[in-house]
Amino acid sequence: EELADLDLTDFEFDFGFNDNISDKYTDKTPGALKEKFIMPPFSVLDARQGDWQKRKKAWLKIIDSGKGRKDNLLGDGITCLLNNSARGETLTATSIFDPVLCEILINWFSPKGAKIIDPFAGGSVRGIVSQFLQRDYYGNDLSKEQIEANVEQFGQLENSTDFFGEKLKMPKWSVGDSKNIDEIITESDFDMLLTCPPYADLEVYSDDPADISNMEYEDFLSVYEEIFEKSIQKLKENAFICVVVGEVRDDNGYYRNFIC
């Protein structure tokens, strides 16, 4: 609205605004953004907010994504905190994907009925949340134990209805080395890639030679890029890619610049 009032004639520039521009782009109903997107679509998210925590607790009543994963994947650091701090009692030594983050990313970046591919499926969160939002989720993981745990957990929800009142459909989980994801998942024309890959060796999931979390960093990057290249080839034009990662350090404590 403010831009429409600027006098830019000296710059020979015209935004092309008309009197109804704000009506086209603004829903003046209070709370409309929150109702549509779960959390308003800003670039900085605060997961400590009451609304976020309340919604997360509701999700965690039906999702236990820790099943199928070893305890203490993050090592002794958090264990020490658990033993020495009352605040640490709420922490876990194995990371769990935040279901609220999953929900808002799916709402922001995919339409209802979209197909989502996930080459690093891990726990059940992204699959189950996707299906509650009526997205068709395809997730692959190297760990047979993890996928079996995911399927078992969905079995407790199979009689549920999704957010649109229809019978909840099961995510399409598969087991295998995602280096071969082009052969494992034969579907194509995906609307979104949503995943949370290993942060190098921050969490080591297994001693399987194909597990990139226990590879040397250069080997990890090579396989990591190969998996993403094959996964991206399965996307539609103009599809969104959402990759949730954190920074990692080398053996000397220096950041590897992994996110970039």
Side-chain angles (χ1 to χ4, degrees), residues 120-138:
F120 302 99
S124 61
V125 169
R126 293 188 295 280
I128 290 177
V129 173
S130 295
Q131 298 299 144
F132 267 105
L133 296 171
Q134 279 197 9
R135 271 64 168 183
D136 203 4
Y137 174 91
Y138 293 71

Side-chain angles (χ1 to χ4, degrees), residues 33-56:
L33 279 178
K34 184 176 178 181
E35 291 171 7
K36 183 175 181 180
F37 294 103
I38 309 303
M39 296 292 167
F42 301 138
S43 58
V44 177
L45 300 171
D46 184 0
R48 298 168 299 178
Q49 290 182 359
D51 287 347
W52 188 297
Q53 288 298 316
K54 182 178 179 180
R55 196 167 186 89
K56 183 175 181 178

Side-chain angles (χ1 to χ4, degrees), residues 70-112:
K70 296 179 180 179
D71 294 332
N72 200 30
L73 289 180
L74 289 174
D76 294 332
I78 288 183
T79 301
C80 292
L81 182 59
L82 287 169
N83 292 334
N84 294 289
S85 170
R87 292 183 62 193
E89 292 176 1
T90 61
L91 297 177
T92 173
T94 298
S95 64
I96 302 297
F97 197 88
D98 191 317
V100 182
L101 177 62
C102 181
E103 182 180 15
I104 63 176
L105 290 176
I106 291 170
N107 271 304
W108 291 3
F109 299 115
S110 73
K112 180 181 175 184

Side-chain angles (χ1 to χ4, degrees), residues 215-245:
M215 294 181 179
E216 294 296 326
Y217 189 65
E218 294 303 320
D219 296 331
F220 162 83
L221 286 181
S222 176
V223 179
Y224 178 81
E225 292 173 1
E226 180 181 354
I227 291 171
F228 268 103
E229 181 179 357
K230 290 181 177 179
S231 300
I232 290 169
Q233 288 175 357
K234 289 185 169 291
L235 297 176
K236 293 179 180 178
E237 290 293 323
N238 300 316
F240 282 100
I241 301 171
C242 293
V243 183
V244 180
V245 293

Side-chain angles (χ1 to χ4, degrees), residues 83-232:
N83 292 334
N84 294 289
S85 170
R87 292 183 62 193
E89 292 176 1
T90 61
L91 297 177
T92 173
T94 298
S95 64
I96 302 297
F97 197 88
D98 191 317
V100 182
L101 177 62
C102 181
E103 182 180 15
I104 63 176
L105 290 176
I106 291 170
N107 271 304
W108 291 3
F109 299 115
S110 73
K112 180 181 175 184
K115 289 167 47 179
I116 296 176
I117 188 171
D118 184 350
F120 302 99
S124 61
V125 169
R126 293 188 295 280
I128 290 177
V129 173
S130 295
Q131 298 299 144
F132 267 105
L133 296 171
Q134 279 197 9
R135 271 64 168 183
D136 203 4
Y137 174 91
Y138 293 71
N140 185 70
D141 198 87
L142 184 65
S143 170
K144 180 180 179 181
E145 179 185 24
Q146 178 66 77
I147 296 302
E148 288 176 346
N150 292 354
V151 173
E152 179 183 352
Q153 186 177 162
F154 180 82
Q156 302 171 14
L157 302 171
E158 60 182 351
N159 295 322
S160 303
T161 55
D162 61 32
F163 287 172
F164 302 95
E166 298 182 18
K167 180 176 173 53
L168 184 67
K169 295 180 179 179
M170 184 175 176
K172 297 175 178 63
W173 283 303
S174 57
V175 178
D177 187 344
S178 284
K179 282 180 63 176
N180 305 314
I181 197 166
D182 52 334
E183 300 173 3
I184 295 171
I185 298 179
T186 57
E187 293 280 335
S188 57
D189 293 328
F190 283 89
D191 301 278
M192 183 183 188
L193 190 160
L194 173 62
T195 194
C196 182
Y199 303 5
D201 59 357
L202 183 63
E203 291 184 340
V204 177
Y205 299 101
S206 73
D207 56 4
D208 188 324
D211 187 342
I212 66 174
S213 70
N214 61 29
M215 294 181 179
E216 294 296 326
Y217 189 65
E218 294 303 320
D219 296 331
F220 162 83
L221 286 181
S222 176
V223 179
Y224 178 81
E225 292 173 1
E226 180 181 354
I227 291 171
F228 268 103
E229 181 179 357
K230 290 181 177 179
S231 300
I232 290 169

